[in-house]
């Protein structure tokens, strides 16, 4: 950090690059530029890049957007020596569009800004060309130049401050109100004016003069460009201004009434009853006046609320209109008859599909009816043969219910007593009959096995 003299009454500190302490390097950078760049292109470009980046860095650290040659000479003075090539640097930056004369910058936006009288523009704001800028007259010491990159950054900061402030819902602001609001962003009035000029160039701000007062209007949310100041805007601005004045007046009267009340209490303690009564009478008059102003303030607030509601209603109506237009476009080729025809076609196709599915499923079932009937007949014959050949040797199912379990006695005894008695007589089959049946079953099984061993498997012959 090296202290730099910015004028007789201005002294601050600016950050300078590390090579600032290198005498050999700085002697080269402080020397003047060659008249012809082609003599040493590398040296020319390195020196130009150094001073260009340093000027931008210094202006950004100071929060300013305008520079002049005299101020730069003082800032970059080193060991009593000033750089010799800063005029060439300014000319080259202007040729590249990095800086622009203040008068030219303002004239490109709106000549009406001349009427502001803020000491920024010349008496005759002409739109100079670069040929004049680079003419034989060169760059004067006190001529101001606007750094385009920095003024764009400052304009964006100013717009962000307004949009995030409590007065963002106020479309109009006085210049002094905006100056107070942006004091931490714009270090001086000149910086604020340049930022407003840039915003006006971007169509985000319009500035007008009404009743000798400079009024600034910002673009509102949802608007790409700011609209001109209308009579409605001016009426709302007057109401809002009246609201602020009434609030300040009511607050002042409240403090005044409280003061008279305290004075009356002090006088009463001192025994000055008549004076205390006089203070109380004055307090009553002040309170009555405050109540009257408060009533006016409520009326003003009511009017502003109605205006705000009407604007909201307007936005809702616009949204409805946009919705109706969108629906009209989306339903342009859609009719009730067309929808009914489409539904009928869909139902017809569904019915056809159901019929096809029913036919396919019915054919599959009918093809197996014959096989199913044959299988059921074979199963029925097997059941009849098995019931005829195998005698029933099982005992009859007991008909009487089991006796309930008694609380005393063994569970096993109860179960045994509930079983039927063992038959004492022999089955009605003799031993000879059993031997004959056994022999018959054995011979049948042996013949069946031999049949399957000796018989070849018959294959289906192809149709002739």
């Amino acid at each position: 950090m090296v202290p730099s003299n910015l004028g007789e009454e201005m002294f601050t500190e600016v950050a300078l690059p590390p090579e600032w302490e290198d005498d050999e390097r700085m002697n080269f950078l402080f020397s003047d530029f060659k008249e012809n760049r082609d003599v040493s292109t590398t040296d020319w470009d390195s020196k130009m890049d150094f001073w260009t980046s340093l000027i931008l860095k210094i202006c950004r650290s100071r929060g300013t957007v305008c520079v002049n040659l005299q101020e730069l000479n003082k800032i970059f003075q080193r060991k009593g020596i000033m750089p010799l090539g800063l005029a060439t640097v300014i000319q080259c930056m202007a040729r590249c569009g990095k800086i622009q004369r203040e008068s030219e910058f303002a004239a490109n936006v709106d000549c009406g800004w001349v009427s502001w009288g803020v000491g920024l523009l010349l008496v005759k704001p002409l739109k100079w060309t670069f040929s004049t800028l680079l003419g034989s007259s060169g760059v004067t010491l006190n001529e101001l130049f606007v750094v385009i990159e920095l003024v764009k950054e400052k304009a964006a900061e100013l717009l962000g401050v307004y949009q995030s402030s409590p007065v963002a819902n106020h479309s109009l602001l006085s210049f002094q109100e905006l100056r107070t609001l942006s004091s931490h962003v714009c270090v001086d009035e000149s910086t604020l004016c340049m930022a407003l000029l840039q915003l006006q160039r971007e169509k985000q701000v319009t500035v007008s003069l009404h009743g000798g007062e400079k009024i600034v209007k910002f673009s509102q949310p949802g608007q790409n460009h700011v609209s001109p100041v209308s009579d409605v805007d001016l009426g709302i601005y007057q109401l809002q201004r009246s609201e602020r004045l009434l609030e300040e007046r009511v607050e002042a009267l409240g403090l005044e009434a409280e003061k008279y009340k305290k004075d009356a209490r002090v006088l009463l303690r001192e025994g000055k009853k008549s004076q205390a009564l006089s203070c109380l009478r004055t307090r009553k008059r002040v309170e009555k006046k405050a109540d009257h102003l408060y009533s006016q303030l409520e009326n003003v607030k009511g009017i502003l609320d109605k205006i705000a509601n009407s604007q909201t209603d307007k936005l809702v109506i616009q949204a409805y209109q946009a919705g109706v237009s969108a629906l009209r476009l989306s339903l342009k080729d859609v009719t009730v008859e067309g929808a009914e025809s489409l539904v009928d076609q869909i139902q017809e196709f569904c019915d056809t599909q159901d019929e096809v599915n029913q036919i396919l499923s019915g054919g599959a079932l009918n093809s197996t009816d014959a096989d199913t009937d044959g299988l059921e007949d074979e199963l029925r014959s097997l059941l009849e043969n098995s019931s005829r050949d195998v005698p029933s040797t099982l005992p009859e199912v007991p008909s009487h219910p089991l006796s309930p379990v008694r609380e005393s006695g063994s569970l096993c005894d109860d179960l045994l007593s509930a079983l039927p008695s063992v038959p004492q007589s022999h089955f009605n089959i003799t031993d000879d009959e059993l031997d004959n049946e056994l022999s018959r079953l054995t011979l049948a099984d042996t013949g069946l096995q031999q049949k399957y061993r000796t018989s070849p498997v018959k294959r289906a012959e192809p149709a002739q």
Side-chain angles (χ1 to χ4, degrees), residues 326-428:
L327 286 174
R328 184 181 295 110
L329 291 176
S330 62
L331 298 177
K332 181 178 180 181
D333 299 329
V334 178
T335 60
V336 177
E337 293 78 6
E340 291 178 351
S341 175
L342 183 61
V343 171
D344 293 339
Q345 293 178 19
I346 294 174
Q347 185 63 41
E348 182 179 354
F349 289 136
C350 291
D351 295 340
T352 303
Q353 183 66 27
D354 292 340
E355 292 177 1
V356 171
N357 292 335
Q358 185 177 1
I359 292 172
L360 294 176
S361 60
L365 292 175
N366 295 332
S367 64
T368 59
D369 286 344
D371 297 338
T372 304
D373 295 339
L375 293 175
E376 290 180 353
D377 294 340
E378 185 177 357
L379 180 61
R380 191 178 301 107
S381 63
L382 290 175
L383 291 176
E384 292 176 354
N385 294 333
S386 61
S387 61
R388 186 184 308 112
D389 295 339
V390 180
S392 178
T393 59
L394 297 176
E396 297 180 357
V397 178
S399 59
H400 59 277
L402 296 175
S403 60
V405 179
R406 295 186 298 272
E407 296 181 358
S408 62
S410 174
L411 180 61
C412 294
D413 296 340
D414 295 337
L415 292 175
L416 292 175
S417 61
L419 294 175
S421 59
V422 179
Q424 299 297 328
S425 61
H426 298 285
F427 295 110
N428 296 326

Side-chain angles (χ1 to χ4, degrees), residues 240-252:
Q240 291 172 345
R241 186 177 180 181
S242 300
E243 180 185 14
R244 290 192 297 271
L245 293 176
L246 288 173
E247 287 177 346
E248 294 174 359
R249 185 57 179 161
V250 168
E251 184 178 359

Side-chain angles (χ1 to χ4, degrees), residues 77-346:
Q77 186 174 357
R78 181 179 181 271
K79 297 181 179 181
I81 302 175
M82 293 183 298
L84 299 179
L86 289 181
T88 305
V89 174
I90 291 178
Q91 291 177 357
C92 184
M93 292 178 67
R95 186 183 300 111
C96 297
K98 294 181 179 180
I99 62 175
Q100 196 174 16
R101 284 184 175 178
E102 186 184 64
S103 55
E104 181 181 356
F105 181 80
N108 283 337
V109 178
D110 187 2
C111 291
W113 282 67
V114 181
S115 62
W116 279 35
V118 292
L120 295 178
L121 307 181
L122 301 177
V123 178
K124 295 181 179 180
L126 302 177
K127 187 175 181 180
W128 288 280
T129 60
F130 284 125
S131 60
T132 304
L133 179 63
L134 303 178
S136 59
S137 60
V139 179
T140 60
L141 292 176
N142 295 324
E143 189 173 15
L144 286 175
F145 290 85
V146 180
V147 183
I148 303 302
E149 178 181 345
L150 299 183
V151 76
K152 289 181 178 180
E153 294 177 0
K154 196 64 64 175
E157 292 181 14
L158 179 61
L159 184 60
V161 168
Y162 165 76
Q163 292 176 348
S164 61
S165 67
V167 296
N169 58 340
H170 296 178
S171 59
L172 295 183
L173 290 178
S174 67
F175 184 81
Q176 293 303 323
E177 289 176 341
L178 185 60
R179 179 75 183 92
T180 303
L181 181 65
S182 62
S183 58
H184 63 289
V185 174
C186 300
V187 295
D188 52 26
E189 187 173 311
S190 173
T191 303
L192 175 60
C193 290
M194 292 299 104
L196 287 175
L197 279 171
Q198 179 61 32
L199 288 176
Q200 186 167 357
R201 175 180 290 182
E202 298 172 0
K203 300 187 183 302
Q204 297 297 318
V205 159
T206 181
V207 182
S208 57
L209 195 64
H210 294 276
E213 183 182 17
K214 292 182 285 291
I215 297 177
V216 182
K217 181 178 181 180
F218 286 85
S219 61
Q220 297 301 308
Q223 295 180 350
N224 295 328
H225 305 294
V226 64
S227 58
V229 179
S230 63
D231 294 338
V232 176
D233 295 330
L234 292 175
I236 295 175
Y237 173 74
Q238 293 295 336
L239 287 173
Q240 291 172 345
R241 186 177 180 181
S242 300
E243 180 185 14
R244 290 192 297 271
L245 293 176
L246 288 173
E247 287 177 346
E248 294 174 359
R249 185 57 179 161
V250 168
E251 184 178 359
L253 290 175
L255 295 176
E256 185 179 356
E258 188 65 24
K259 178 179 177 297
Y260 281 119
K261 182 178 179 180
K262 291 180 180 179
D263 293 342
R265 185 180 292 109
V266 172
L267 292 173
L268 186 61
R269 291 175 182 175
E270 294 176 356
K272 301 177 181 179
K273 185 176 180 180
S274 59
Q275 297 180 4
L277 290 174
S278 178
C279 287
L280 290 178
R281 293 191 188 96
T282 306
R283 172 177 171 267
K284 290 294 184 182
R285 288 195 298 269
V286 171
E287 288 180 346
K288 185 177 180 180
K289 187 176 182 180
D291 292 338
H292 178 68
L293 293 179
Y294 184 79
S295 177
Q296 295 179 355
L297 177 62
E298 289 297 318
N299 293 333
V300 173
K301 288 184 176 181
I303 295 174
L304 289 174
D305 290 339
K306 292 180 180 179
I307 293 174
N309 293 334
S310 65
Q311 292 176 347
T312 303
D313 295 340
K314 181 180 178 181
L315 293 176
V316 172
I317 292 174
Q318 291 176 354
Y320 284 168
Q321 291 175 347
V324 170
S325 300
L327 286 174
R328 184 181 295 110
L329 291 176
S330 62
L331 298 177
K332 181 178 180 181
D333 299 329
V334 178
T335 60
V336 177
E337 293 78 6
E340 291 178 351
S341 175
L342 183 61
V343 171
D344 293 339
Q345 293 178 19
I346 294 174

